[in-house]
Amino acid sequence: MDDWDDIRWFLAVAEHGSTLAAARASRVSQSTIFRRIAALEAALGLSLFERRSSGYTLTEDGAALLPIAAQIAANVEHLSRVAAERQRSVAGTVRLSAPEIVLAHVLPPVIGRFRALYPAVKLELVATDRRVDLASGEADVALRGGLAPTDPSLFGRRLTYDRSVVAASRAYADAAGLPQSLADLRDHPLIRFDPPGAPTPLLDQLVACFPDEAVVLRPNTMTAVVAAVRGGLGLGILPRFVVDREADLVHAPIVLPLPVFELWIITHERRRHSAPVRALMDFVAAYVLAEQPQADE
């Protein structure tokens, strides 16, 4: 069997006497129930119902399997109830660090859904582009952009990877157009991320893409870059997942010579078995992996 949910449709048809009545009671289409019953019969190699003009009646095989199916359904319901109770029982405080841009554009819906499932877990959010020290307890869990952590004491997984794009507000694009090549960037006001601290290879690459003579603004956070681009002050380099989430932003058809942006969720080895930490990491990972399309590597 590929889908345990087919048992639910078997029980519904047996109870209501037809696929039409079962569909009405379950608020799904009749064709869906018909297909799932056919799939269940094919998987079992048995005919469960006799189709008559008056409705569906159980075959001898169907009648023999009905009480077993009912017990399976009860067990699944019990499993779901126990899982929900265990979720509610997970308690504690988790300090989560994330870059400002991720906190603003990715985490809000994730946190809301997590809190609904784990009401006894309190979250402390640290919005910073700095890499917090997990070993010293600056945070319990961190979302980090960049390559895989090399420290063997850190545990985690990659959530997504994405390309950076040249972004503009829709108003700016309508008024001035979008560049079609890297050379065209010199004809536009540019907003270049200028983080504090020593130069990095990524910063050197940004400088190469956005030459000094065209740069009109140098924000020191990515959140400020988003705000400036949204305000129509010029073009900025942003992760595509940010642009895709902003209705008033568009991006130019330019492939930038920049590395793929990776987002990792990590914790320190000594915290990985903490129930609230594990619950948060699993939940955030499942949400991001389901919601975020992956860029071509």
Side-chain angles (χ1 to χ4, degrees):
M1 291 180 58
D2 294 327
D3 191 346
W4 289 106
D5 206 40
D6 291 347
I7 291 176
R8 180 159 65 97
W9 305 129
F10 170 43
L11 294 171
V13 174
E15 177 183 357
H16 296 284
S18 71
T19 55
L20 178 59
R24 288 172 175 169
S26 305
R27 297 184 179 180
V28 299
S29 69
Q30 182 182 12
S31 61
T32 294
I33 293 183
F34 182 85
R35 287 197 308 271
R36 298 321 309 164
I37 292 296
L40 180 60
E41 289 180 325
L44 296 174
L46 298 171
S47 177
L48 302 176
F49 294 100
E50 292 183 6
R51 281 76 167 172
R52 299 176 178 175
S53 58
S54 59
Y56 279 46
T57 60
L58 288 166
T59 63
E60 183 178 347
D61 290 328
L65 294 179
L66 184 63
I68 302 174
Q71 185 59 53
I72 291 173
N75 287 340
V76 170
E77 182 180 353
H78 180 63
L79 182 149
S80 299
R81 186 168 57 251
V82 171
E85 290 171 354
R86 290 187 65 83
Q87 287 175 343
R88 289 191 293 271
S89 69
V90 174
T93 299
V94 180
R95 190 172 176 83
L96 172 64
S97 167
E100 286 187 18
I101 196 168
V102 173
L103 189 62
H105 295 272
V106 176
L107 286 184
V110 188
I111 292 172
R113 296 179 187 183
F114 177 81
R115 289 284 301 129
L117 285 175
Y118 297 92
V121 177
K122 297 180 180 179
L123 296 180
E124 296 179 356
L125 302 180
V126 181
T128 177
D129 294 328
R130 179 179 62 85
R131 293 200 167 195
V132 299
D133 187 350
L134 294 173
S136 68
E138 283 192 295
D140 301 306
V141 178
L143 284 163
R144 284 184 182 173
L147 299 177
T150 56
D151 185 341
S153 70
L154 299 181
F155 167 82
R157 64 183 299 183
R158 186 177 71 174
L159 300 183
T160 187
Y161 49 94
D162 203 357
R163 293 287 181 186
S164 295
V165 295
V166 176
S169 69
R170 291 188 182 276
Y172 179 94
D174 290 343
L178 292 173
Q180 302 299 302
S181 68
L182 286 173
D184 292 342
L185 292 175
R186 297 179 182 274
D187 301 325
H188 295 265
L190 306 179
I191 302 163
R192 191 175 70 203
F193 177 47
D194 188 14
T200 65
L202 177 58
L203 183 57
D204 292 340
Q205 291 167 319
L206 288 173
V207 170
C209 291
F210 275 13
D212 280 339
E213 60 268 23
V215 174
V216 298
L217 199 63
R218 292 178 171 83
N220 66 352
T221 69
M222 288 299 292
T223 303
V225 175
V226 175
V229 172
R230 190 192 295 119
L233 301 182
L235 306 179
I237 294 177
L238 296 171
R240 192 180 63 189
F241 73 82
V242 173
V243 179
D244 290 345
R245 283 171 164 80
E246 291 278 343
D248 53 352
L249 295 185
V250 294
H251 64 82
I254 299 174
V255 178
L256 294 171
L258 294 174
V260 171
F261 173 87
E262 296 187 5
L263 182 64
W264 288 76
I265 188 167
I266 56 175
T267 188
H268 195 270
E269 179 67 26
R270 65 172 177 265
R271 295 288 289 152
R272 64 179 291 192
H273 298 297
S274 161
V277 166
R278 188 170 64 248
L280 178 64
M281 293 184 69
D282 289 346
F283 189 86
V284 172
Y287 179 90
V288 175
L289 289 169
E291 293 291 323
Q292 178 61 30
Q294 308 295 301
D296 296 331
E297 292 190 283

